[in-house]
Amino acid sequence: NELLYLPYMMAPLVVTVLLGPLLGMFATISICMLGGFFILPEQYAPEKQVQFWILSSLSGMLTVLLTHNLRNRAQLLRAGFFVGLLVMVGVINLQAWDYNLTGVLVCLAVAFGVSMLTSVLISGVLPIIEGAFKIITPISWLEMADMNRPLMKRLQMEAPGTFHHCLMVAQLAEAAAEAIGANPIECRVEAYYHDIGKM
């Protein structure tokens, strides 16, 4: 079944991580609307289009749900795992099986494997995409919050009072950001570095 080889979660995953959940949902809707019309050659039954719409919409929305508040790269793999399970269930429910048991298992393995492979590939190329489009993702903010970075270590050694002050400001900024719906990770990291010039 050709539908098994489609990376349903790729566009929603990339757009959600780089641009946010609202645009991720827009990407899902766009893929559902446009993608189904490409699955209309004469050799395909009309059911193929319906299957694509169902699988792409469900997997896309689940991808957005699982990655809208990304905190680490492991969440990308978790999204791939659950979307893979969803596609497997969808294939079982939507496909009229004419294969033997081995063929069914191979199809299910492909359905799961494509989603996992997609999440692994996106996790690997994410830094390249960030650099190419000058976009900072939540993962990058978390990496900058690492206290073992050379600049933060220098701040701890050369200006310990300022370092302690930055930690306090970061806690306040993060709490305030959560209260008003801003980006708490970004506010926390910016507070860490706001007095770095005192070195």
Side-chain angles (χ1 to χ4, degrees):
N1 189 331
E2 296 85 352
L3 292 175
L4 296 175
Y5 296 94
L6 296 177
Y8 293 105
M9 66 181 293
M10 179 172 284
L13 180 60
V14 172
V15 175
T16 300
V17 171
L18 293 179
L19 302 175
L22 289 179
L23 288 174
M25 287 189 286
F26 177 77
T28 299
I29 295 169
S30 301
I31 291 297
C32 292
M33 292 176 62
L34 296 176
F37 293 109
F38 289 102
I39 309 179
L40 287 176
E42 312 307 349
Q43 67 265 32
Y44 287 148
E47 291 79 13
K48 295 278 186 181
Q49 189 181 42
V50 176
Q51 290 178 18
F52 175 85
W53 280 337
I54 293 173
L55 286 175
S56 61
S57 61
L58 291 177
S59 62
M61 291 302 177
L62 181 59
T63 300
V64 173
L65 180 67
L66 292 173
T67 58
H68 79 282
N69 189 23
L70 200 64
R71 293 293 182 125
N72 52 62
R73 296 187 192 278
Q75 283 182 262
L76 296 176
L77 299 179
R78 187 186 69 171
F81 177 81
F82 285 109
V83 171
L85 292 180
L86 176 66
V87 175
M88 286 173 62
V89 172
V91 168
I92 292 172
N93 291 331
L94 296 173
Q95 179 66 45
W97 294 106
D98 296 324
Y99 310 123
N100 56 29
L101 179 60
T102 302
V104 172
L105 294 177
V106 168
C107 286
L108 294 178
V110 169
F112 182 78
V114 167
S115 295
M116 287 299 297
L117 181 62
T118 300
S119 64
V120 170
L121 289 176
I122 295 301
S123 177
V125 302
L126 198 55
I128 299 173
I129 299 174
E130 289 180 272
F133 294 100
K134 307 298 182 186
I135 296 174
I136 301 178
T137 66
I139 293 177
S140 295
W141 285 115
L142 287 171
E143 290 173 349
M144 285 188 282
D146 183 7
M147 291 298 161
N148 290 316
R149 295 175 71 87
L151 190 58
M152 295 306 294
K153 283 187 172 182
R154 275 192 61 198
L155 182 63
Q156 294 177 50
M157 297 298 296
E158 297 178 20
T162 298
F163 174 73
H164 180 72
H165 163 71
C166 290
L167 293 181
M168 296 299 101
V169 172
Q171 289 182 354
L172 292 171
E174 186 174 20
E178 290 174 349
I180 65 173
N183 188 330
I185 302 172
E186 182 176 344
C187 292
R188 173 158 58 95
V189 173
E190 288 172 352
Y192 284 158
Y193 292 89
H194 85 281
D195 254 354
I196 206 73
K198 288 187 177 178
M199 288 193 301

